[in-house]
């Protein structure tokens, strides 16, 4: 006994001092000095097992660290081969697998429920300070780790998201054919891992026990381990189980630094434990009737569940919708994305529906899903056609409409998700952070650019018909994006829109709509003018709690303008922290866009020119505005019309009614 300990001590001293050439081989582990942790144990016949029941982790490491770095700081070449078997409690049913590990430490914190192969846990799975590389033999599909399937070999660097993986298989030396293997079959298999430090090439080869090493590796990955490796690292094995009992066995292991690891003597390896025939027989004779009965009940329950789910997730689908293809979402996908349209996913409630946040499982894209009730099927085909058409709009200041879904009496619209929510919350709902004037001016210009695209730059004219602060959403960089195209209407350039149905939000509706009910680009401009004043003044279009002169925002700004004190209307919360010229421009342009006479309003192209200072803003006095209208050709009426801005709601109404047009 003393002589064995002396020889082992001499070998250890040699390995530590001459780590560059360390070389060891275990044809079975009887008498081997291994560092064991968790459930790991060496049996009396030399079999190393890492786990033997559910919710366990087990590690077995070579007891001393090996010197992996050369004098120049590069990771040295190494090779290893080992024989293993994964034997599940039930045939082909497993939870997690085993891994060959190179780590800066041989002690790992215990993962919850035996997860993460026993070498990682949730708080450190992406930590670059782990200094851990592993070859995983994974028998569980975990989508959170981007696993390809539940039977694969992968190369892991500092976490369980493999940088390269492949289904378990081997290349036949005779035919060159790739043949599949099942890691959880209980069969004994052989693994070779070889790293070329000069070429930074890592090869992993797999085959059934007894076959020669395949000429072609299963995995060949170019990776520089120098940033992962410290000067001294431990080598060994780790495994974990979660729900079912799984036996992870290592039968033999060989390793060499800067050279080819010695071949294992397969005839000397220990045997796997045999399953008892008596136990199996009892299971069949006693448990079989119970299993059959349970299976029948489970099948009936499963069929009932499938029927209920089909009814629950049933979509309304007609033949004419086939042409819309990718713009059609399934109700099941949206239900899962929003976690069942739970209240905790609710983003807001408006006059036309409720909006929920969701995550599409397939693409991992965050979306906003709006549920709109639709009582009538009349015109549905035309409406869906317009929705799909609007899905082709592409502009940096428009919220992308991704598609739709129909179910019973509901219509669901799917949009890109905007993380900062709607603009009105930053203006009126006492947010933690105040929008600066620079941010507000950029938002105004952004929405104007998006509206110009809708009116003039797309294939058709798009009338938004509901422009307001609550329909302007803010992306992660606080850029304004016009949203909610549920009321939008399209028509060809050079024609007139056919709709005569007046819609919109009180306070943003152009006066002429109350008489004609016919929207056009000018009615959108009116709403945009009110929106500009809303952003600049930090006030809603109609505030019934204010004094008589200040109830209607447009009238109030008009009064301030006529008094020569238009800056009084600026948002007091800004505390005069704004560019005076920009504030005056926005306030005056807001009045011009929201003029009661549609002929007096500029086009959105002119609005952009005014905001970019490429054209001077017309004088808002009667003569100046009249000249501007006649100059741009928007209006050619009688000479006795008055173009001055109204002084109150009553004068606004009188101006509209007496103007003729």
């Amino acid at each position: 006994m003393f002589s064995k300990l002396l020889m082992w001590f001499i070998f250890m001293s040699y390995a530590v001092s001459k780590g560059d050439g360390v070389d060891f081989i275990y044809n079975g582990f009887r008498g081997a000095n291994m560092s064991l942790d968790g459930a790991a144990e060496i049996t009396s016949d030399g079999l190393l097992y890492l786990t033997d029941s559910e919710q366990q982790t087990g590690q077995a490491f070579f007891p001393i660290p090996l010197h992996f770095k050369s004098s120049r700081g590069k990771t040295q070449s190494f090779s290893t081969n080992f024989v293993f078997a994964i034997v599940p409690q039930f045939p082909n049913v497993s939870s997690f697998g085993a891994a060959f590990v190179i780590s800066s430490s041989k002690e790992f914190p215990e993962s919850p429920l035996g997860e993460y192969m026993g070498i990682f846990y949730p708080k450190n799975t992406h930590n670059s300070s782990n200094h851990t590389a592993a070859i995983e033999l994974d028998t569980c599909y975990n989508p959170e780790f981007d696993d390809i399937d539940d039977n694969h070999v992968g190369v892991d660097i500092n976490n369980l998201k493999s940088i390269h993986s492949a289904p378990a298989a081997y290349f036949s030396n005779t035919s060159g054919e790739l043949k599949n293997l099942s890691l959880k079959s209980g069969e004994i298999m052989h693994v070779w891992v070889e790293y070329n430090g000069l070429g930074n090439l890592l090869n992993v080869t797999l085959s059934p026990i007894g076959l020669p090493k395949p000429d072609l590796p299963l995995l060949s990955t170019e990776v520089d381990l120098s940033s992962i490796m410290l000067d001294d690292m431990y080598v060994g094995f780790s495994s974990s189980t979660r729900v079912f009992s799984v036996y992870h066995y290592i039968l033999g292991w060989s390793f060499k630094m800067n050279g080819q690891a010695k071949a294992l003597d397969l005839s000397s390896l220990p045997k796997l434990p045999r399953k008892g025939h008596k136990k199996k027989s009892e299971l069949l004779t006693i448990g079989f009737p119970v299993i059959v009965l349970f299976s029948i009940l489970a099948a009936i329950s499963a069929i009932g569940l499938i029927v209920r789910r089909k009814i629950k997730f049933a979509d309304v689908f007609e033949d004419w919708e086939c042409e819309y293809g990718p713009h059609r979402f399934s109700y099941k996908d949206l239900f899962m994305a929003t976690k069942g349209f739970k209240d905790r996913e609710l983003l807001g409630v408006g006059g036309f529906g409720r909006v929920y946040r969701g995550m599409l499982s397939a693409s991992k894209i965050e979306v906003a899903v709006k549920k709109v009730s639709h009582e009538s099927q009349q015109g549905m085909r035309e409406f869906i056609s317009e929705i799909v058409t609007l899905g082709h709009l592409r502009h940096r200041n428009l919220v992308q409409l991704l598609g739709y879904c129909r179910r019973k009496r509901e219509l669901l619209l799917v949009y890109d998700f905007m993380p900062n929510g709607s603009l009105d919350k930053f203006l009126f709902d006492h947010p933690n952070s105040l929008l600066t004037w620079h941010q507000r001016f950029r938002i105004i210009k952004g929405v104007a650019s998006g509206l110009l695209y809708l009116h003039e730059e797309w294939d058709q004219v798009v009338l938004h018909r509901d422009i307001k602060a609550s329909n302007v959403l803010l992306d992660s960089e606080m850029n304004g994006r016009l949203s909610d195209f549920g009321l939008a209407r399209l028509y060809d350039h050079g024609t007139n829109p056919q709709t005569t149905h007046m819609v919109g939000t009180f306070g943003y509706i152009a006066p002429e709509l109350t008489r004609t009910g016919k929207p056009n680009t000018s009615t959108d401009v009116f709403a945009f003018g009110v929106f500009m004043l809303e952003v600049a003044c930090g006030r809603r279009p109609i505030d019934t709690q204010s004094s008589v002169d200040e109830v209607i925002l447009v009238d109030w700004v008009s009064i301030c303008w006529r008094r020569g004190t238009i800056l009084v209307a600026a948002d007091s919360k800004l505390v005069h922290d704004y560019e005076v010229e920009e504030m005056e421009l926005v306030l005056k342009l807001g009045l011009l866009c929201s003029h009661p006479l549609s002929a007096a309003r500029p086009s959105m192209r002119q609005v952009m020119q005014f905001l970019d200072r490429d054209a001077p803003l017309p004088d808002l006095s009667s003569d100046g505005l009249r000249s501007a209208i006649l100059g741009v050709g928007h209006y050619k009426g009688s000479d006795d019309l008055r173009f001055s801005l109204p002084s109150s709601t009553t004068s606004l109404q009188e101006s509209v009614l007496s103007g003729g047009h």
Side-chain angles (χ1 to χ4, degrees):
M1 180 67 180
F2 176 79
S3 60
K4 287 184 177 180
L5 290 175
L6 180 61
M7 291 179 64
W8 179 84
F9 177 78
I10 295 172
F11 173 72
M12 293 297 102
S13 301
Y14 177 82
V16 172
S17 61
K18 301 290 185 179
D20 290 350
V22 69
D23 182 6
F24 60 82
I25 183 169
Y26 297 114
N27 289 302
F29 294 86
R30 181 182 296 171
N33 181 35
M34 296 286 290
S35 179
L36 306 177
D37 196 12
E41 186 177 337
I42 297 176
T43 64
S44 59
D45 59 354
L47 189 64
L48 169 61
Y49 71 81
L50 303 174
T51 61
D52 64 350
S53 64
E54 63 188 51
Q55 297 187 16
Q56 280 190 342
T57 61
Q59 291 93 23
F61 280 86
F62 189 72
I64 64 169
L66 305 183
H67 193 70
F68 275 78
K69 289 290 187 71
S70 67
S71 59
R72 292 180 296 177
K74 286 283 291 181
T75 297
Q76 301 185 91
S77 300
F78 64 87
S79 72
T80 186
N81 69 89
F82 57 93
V83 173
F84 77 98
I86 299 176
V87 184
Q89 180 183 13
F90 302 105
N92 292 315
V93 177
S94 181
S95 58
F96 301 102
F100 168 73
V101 183
I102 304 175
S103 175
S104 60
S105 173
K106 57 182 178 180
E107 297 179 0
F108 299 89
E110 187 172 350
S111 301
L113 297 179
E115 295 182 356
Y116 298 90
M117 293 285 185
I119 52 177
F120 297 107
Y121 66 108
K123 292 184 179 180
N124 82 334
T125 187
H126 298 285
N127 196 334
S128 60
S129 65
N130 288 336
H131 298 289
T132 301
I135 306 301
E136 67 172 30
L137 306 164
D138 200 353
T139 57
C140 184
Y141 173 65
N142 291 284
E144 65 268 30
F145 300 138
D146 297 334
D147 283 352
I148 57 175
D149 59 22
D150 63 348
N151 181 55
H152 62 272
V153 180
V155 178
D156 300 343
I157 303 296
N158 285 331
N159 68 78
L160 288 181
K161 287 190 176 181
S162 302
I163 63 171
H164 191 189
S165 61
Y170 71 100
F171 288 94
S172 170
N173 285 342
T174 56
S175 65
E177 180 183 1
L178 184 65
K179 297 186 176 182
N180 295 328
L181 291 173
S182 174
L183 296 175
K184 55 191 174 186
S185 64
E187 300 297 327
I188 302 174
M189 300 181 195
H190 204 156
V191 176
W192 293 263
V193 180
E194 298 158 305
Y195 179 72
N196 185 333
L198 295 178
N200 298 329
L201 186 65
L202 179 66
N203 288 337
V204 181
T205 309
L206 181 67
S207 84
I209 189 71
L211 292 184
K213 177 187 174 185
D215 296 330
L216 293 176
L218 176 63
L219 292 176
S220 186
T221 304
E222 186 174 345
V223 56
D224 187 357
L225 296 180
S226 299
S227 62
I228 307 301
M229 301 291 192
L230 300 180
D231 287 339
D232 294 321
M233 302 286 284
Y234 292 91
V235 293
F237 303 90
S238 180
S239 71
S240 63
T241 61
R242 183 170 64 177
V243 180
F244 301 102
S245 296
V246 181
Y247 296 85
H248 294 95
Y249 296 104
I250 307 296
L251 290 76
W253 179 25
S254 176
F255 182 95
K256 183 174 178 58
M257 190 75 70
N258 283 327
Q260 188 68 38
K262 294 177 181 177
L264 293 169
D265 183 1
L266 302 183
S267 63
S268 300
L269 299 182
K271 306 298 182 182
L272 290 180
R274 296 183 62 182
K275 297 181 180 179
H277 295 289
K278 183 177 180 181
K279 184 176 181 180
K280 182 177 180 181
S281 176
E282 289 177 353
L283 176 64
L284 291 175
T285 57
I286 299 175
F288 185 74
V290 177
I291 294 173
V292 171
L293 179 61
F294 176 79
S295 300
I296 293 173
L297 294 175
I300 294 174
S301 300
I303 293 172
L305 179 62
I306 292 172
V307 172
R308 287 196 299 272
R309 285 175 64 87
K310 283 185 175 295
I311 296 174
K312 182 178 181 179
F313 297 124
D315 296 357
V316 177
F317 193 91
E318 298 179 34
D319 293 341
W320 53 266
E321 293 183 75
C322 295
E323 61 186 282
Y324 299 136
H327 293 282
R328 173 73 190 244
F329 287 87
S330 73
Y331 181 78
K332 179 180 178 181
D333 288 344
L334 299 184
F335 185 89
M336 297 301 181
T338 58
K339 300 177 182 177
F341 296 102
K342 297 294 184 183
D343 287 343
R344 64 176 176 269
E345 302 299 325
L346 186 65
L347 295 174
V349 180
F352 296 96
R354 300 163 69 89
V355 184
Y356 297 85
R357 174 164 53 186
M359 174 75 75
L360 299 177
S361 58
S363 59
K364 304 301 180 185
I365 295 177
E366 221 171 356
V367 295
V369 182
K370 186 170 187 177
K371 297 181 72 173
V372 182
S373 296
H374 192 86
E375 296 297 332
S376 173
Q377 292 298 315
Q378 184 177 4
M380 174 57 77
R381 181 169 184 169
E382 290 76 11
F383 182 64
I384 295 296
S385 177
E386 290 196 356
I387 288 293
V388 174
T389 302
L390 290 169
H392 295 293
L393 294 173
R394 295 290 186 275
H395 192 275
R396 63 183 178 277
N397 294 110
L398 300 179
V399 175
Q400 180 66 40
L401 177 61
L402 302 177
Y404 76 100
C405 170
R406 282 205 298 147
R407 179 178 180 269
K408 297 180 181 178
R409 295 183 179 275
E410 286 183 332
L411 179 67
L412 293 87
L413 305 179
V414 185
Y415 299 90
D416 275 340
F417 174 71
M418 295 290 109
N420 282 313
S422 60
L423 173 61
D424 65 324
K425 294 180 180 179
F426 284 86
L427 294 176
F428 310 120
D429 292 348
H430 307 290
N432 295 327
S433 59
L434 178 69
L435 285 176
T436 65
W437 173 247
H438 173 73
Q439 289 174 318
R440 299 188 195 203
F441 191 64
R442 186 175 64 180
I443 290 169
I444 289 172
K445 291 183 67 175
V447 175
S449 176
L451 200 53
L452 171 60
Y453 171 80
L454 295 179
H455 286 183
E456 301 185 25
E457 297 177 348
W458 197 53
D459 297 340
Q460 291 179 284
V461 178
V462 181
L463 300 181
H464 187 277
R465 301 205 300 171
D466 199 19
I467 300 164
K468 55 184 177 181
S470 60
N471 281 343
V472 173
L473 303 184
L474 304 177
D475 62 19
S476 58
E477 298 178 352
M478 300 299 287
N479 295 308
R481 297 196 183 194
L482 191 57
S483 71
D484 200 340
F485 292 85
L487 298 179
R489 289 296 177 267
L490 299 83
Y491 62 95
D492 294 331
H493 289 280
T495 63
N496 293 317
Q498 299 300 313
T499 180
T500 58
H501 181 57
M502 187 185 76
V503 295
T505 302
F506 189 58
Y508 301 87
I509 299 175
E512 64 270 20
L513 273 176
T514 60
R515 293 181 290 109
T516 66
K518 295 182 178 180
N520 52 41
T521 55
S522 182
T523 57
D524 268 359
V525 173
F526 180 92
F528 178 74
V530 178
F531 164 76
M532 291 177 68
L533 299 180
E534 192 176 8
V535 176
C537 303
R539 297 177 48 159
R540 298 187 184 277
I542 297 177
D543 185 359
T544 57
Q545 303 300 317
S546 301
S547 61
V548 175
D549 288 343
E550 300 181 14
V551 170
I552 298 179
L553 178 59
V554 176
D555 288 358
W556 163 240
V557 179
S558 176
I559 291 172
C560 294
W561 168 71
R562 286 199 306 274
R563 291 174 179 172
T565 58
I566 194 168
L567 291 179
V568 171
D571 191 348
S572 60
K573 294 190 293 295
L574 292 172
V575 197
H576 301 289
D577 187 10
Y578 52 76
E579 295 289 337
V580 173
E581 291 184 0
E582 288 181 351
M583 178 63 78
E584 287 186 343
L585 171 64
V586 169
L587 291 172
K588 291 179 180 180
L589 184 55
L591 289 176
L592 183 60
C593 290
S594 58
H595 197 283
L597 292 177
S598 62
R601 302 169 202 151
S603 67
M604 286 311 301
R605 186 168 298 279
Q606 290 173 308
V607 169
M608 284 301 301
Q609 291 174 344
F610 296 148
L611 290 173
D612 290 334
R613 311 290 181 88
D614 292 336
L617 188 68
D619 186 358
L620 296 184
S621 63
S622 299
D623 293 339
L625 185 56
R626 178 177 181 277
S627 299
I629 297 170
L630 296 177
V632 298
H634 278 295
Y635 182 85
K636 295 182 181 180
S638 58
D639 291 340
D640 61 351
L641 282 172
R642 298 293 180 262
F643 296 96
S644 60
L645 294 170
S647 60
S648 67
T649 306
T650 303
S651 59
L652 182 150
Q653 294 171 344
E654 292 173 353
S655 176
V656 173
L657 295 174
S658 63
H661 272 261

